[in-house]
Amino acid sequence: MKNGRVVLKACAFSFVANFILFAVKLYIGLRTNSISIYSDAVNNMFDSLSGAVTFAFLYYLLKKSSEGMSGMLKKSEQLFSFVISVTVVAAGLYFAYTSLERLIYPTPVWFSTLYAAIVAATAGAKAVMYFIYSAFEKKSGSPVVRVMKIDCILDMFITVVSVITLLVSQYSDYAFDAVCGLLISVVILISAVKMLISNAKKLINYVSSATREKVSGILAEYSESITVKELDYQNDGDAVVCYVTAQCEDNSTLEKVKQKCLEEVDVHLCFVIK
């Protein structure tokens, strides 16, 4: 429950901080006509909305939950991590679309030293946010906060490139802004899809067939004293846990099997003896 409150604080911080960055970049993007800065602003908007939605749902679950529902809270965090990953992918696709449109129909970008300096400062703000999220993650161990932290690195990279394109635009009439926008969108999509797949695996408790076979093989080595009835795998994000429903005549064997499985396969076994 304490970890849940830490995650709520992280989500509230994400909403406020990213909304401020969104407002600043949106104004500058519209004033300079820079598609890179405008798309960067939209990316921050997605981050802000994700923080708000996650805060609302987690707050409701924490209010209704008890210590016995900690597993539900953990799975809910994985769900929100997946949703945030989806929003990052959506931001990348939007970025690609707007950049391609600007490449086909180029328009001038108006350079301003003041605006370039302000946007550069927002990259520094993202760096500070990364360390703040790291502190939240250290306290909570939450996958939601971990996704927010990783997203900060992507956002910082996007902002730096946006500043560079704004600086270069004053020396060239070519749609350099749109080209950089497309490159940024590719980087976002590659990273976001990897993050999306990782969070999806955790959400559905995915465990590779190779790992399952190794666990079954270790259990088979002790088949004389342990009769396995059912295996149920859970992936909580930090570790893979296998709940083994079995009959056992020698309880001392269980500890040996647990230790071997942890050392060789990195899977935690929990026995349910019937």
Side-chain angles (χ1 to χ4, degrees):
M1 302 296 285
K2 180 180 178 181
N3 289 347
R5 288 192 286 270
V6 174
V7 178
L8 285 180
K9 291 179 181 178
C11 291
F13 171 75
S14 175
F15 168 69
V16 174
N18 281 301
F19 183 81
I20 293 173
L21 292 176
F22 158 69
V24 171
K25 292 177 183 177
L26 178 64
Y27 175 79
I28 295 176
L30 294 174
R31 292 286 294 178
T32 60
N33 200 34
S34 170
I35 191 66
S36 296
I37 297 175
Y38 173 71
S39 297
D40 192 9
V42 173
N43 183 40
N44 286 137
M45 180 192 71
F46 276 118
D47 293 340
S48 181
L49 290 176
S50 297
V53 172
T54 304
F55 177 91
F57 278 96
L58 280 182
Y59 178 80
Y60 174 79
L61 289 173
L62 281 170
K63 193 174 181 180
K64 298 293 183 181
S65 296
S66 62
E67 293 295 335
M69 296 181 67
S70 58
M72 179 180 176
L73 285 171
K74 187 74 173 180
K75 189 56 65 177
S76 297
E77 286 190 55
Q78 293 176 5
L79 172 61
F80 296 133
S81 299
F82 175 78
V83 172
I84 292 173
S85 301
V86 171
T87 62
V88 177
V89 172
L93 290 172
Y94 176 80
F95 205 172
Y97 171 78
T98 52
S99 298
L100 185 60
E101 184 179 44
R102 180 63 63 88
L103 186 63
I104 297 173
Y105 305 105
T107 56
V109 175
W110 295 284
F111 173 78
S112 167
T113 302
L114 175 62
Y115 291 154
I118 293 174
V119 176
T122 64
K126 273 294 181 178
V128 174
M129 289 172 64
Y130 172 85
F131 290 107
I132 293 175
Y133 285 134
S134 296
F136 280 127
E137 184 189 8
K138 188 175 181 180
K139 289 182 179 179
S140 66
S142 169
V144 171
V145 181
R146 188 177 300 117
V147 171
M148 292 177 177
K149 183 183 75 172
I150 295 172
D151 187 49
C152 271
I153 300 175
L154 286 174
D155 290 349
M156 190 165 54
F157 169 76
I158 294 168
T159 302
V160 169
V161 175
S162 297
V163 174
I164 293 174
T165 57
L166 185 60
L167 292 171
V168 173
S169 65
Q170 62 181 316
Y171 303 110
S172 175
D173 293 331
Y174 183 69
F176 186 75
D177 185 52
V179 173
C180 287
L182 284 172
L183 292 176
I184 292 173
S185 65
V186 170
V187 174
I188 293 175
L189 286 171
I190 292 174
S191 301
V193 168
K194 287 181 179 179
M195 191 163 55
L196 180 65
I197 293 173
S198 175
N199 287 317
K201 287 181 177 180
K202 295 173 185 176
L203 186 62
I204 65 174
N205 291 319
Y206 173 81
V207 178
S208 67
S209 57
T211 298
R212 292 172 182 267
E213 289 175 3
K214 288 179 181 178
V215 172
S216 297
I218 292 173
L219 290 170
E221 294 176 13
Y222 297 86
S223 58
E224 292 183 1
S225 57
I226 301 176
T227 303
V228 178
K229 294 183 177 180
E230 184 180 359
L231 299 177
D232 181 24
Y233 289 89
Q234 298 288 328
N235 187 341
D236 67 1
D238 297 318
V240 176
V241 180
C242 179
Y243 294 91
V244 184
T245 304
Q247 290 181 334
C248 182
E249 299 178 358
D250 183 9
N251 290 335
S252 63
T253 306
L254 300 181
E255 293 301 322
K256 295 179 183 179
V257 178
K258 287 181 180 180
Q259 189 64 29
K260 186 172 183 178
C261 209
L262 187 60
E263 292 176 353
E264 296 185 8
V265 197
D266 195 25
V267 172
H268 299 263
L269 292 185
C270 291
F271 283 94
V272 180
I273 303 301
K274 291 187 177 181

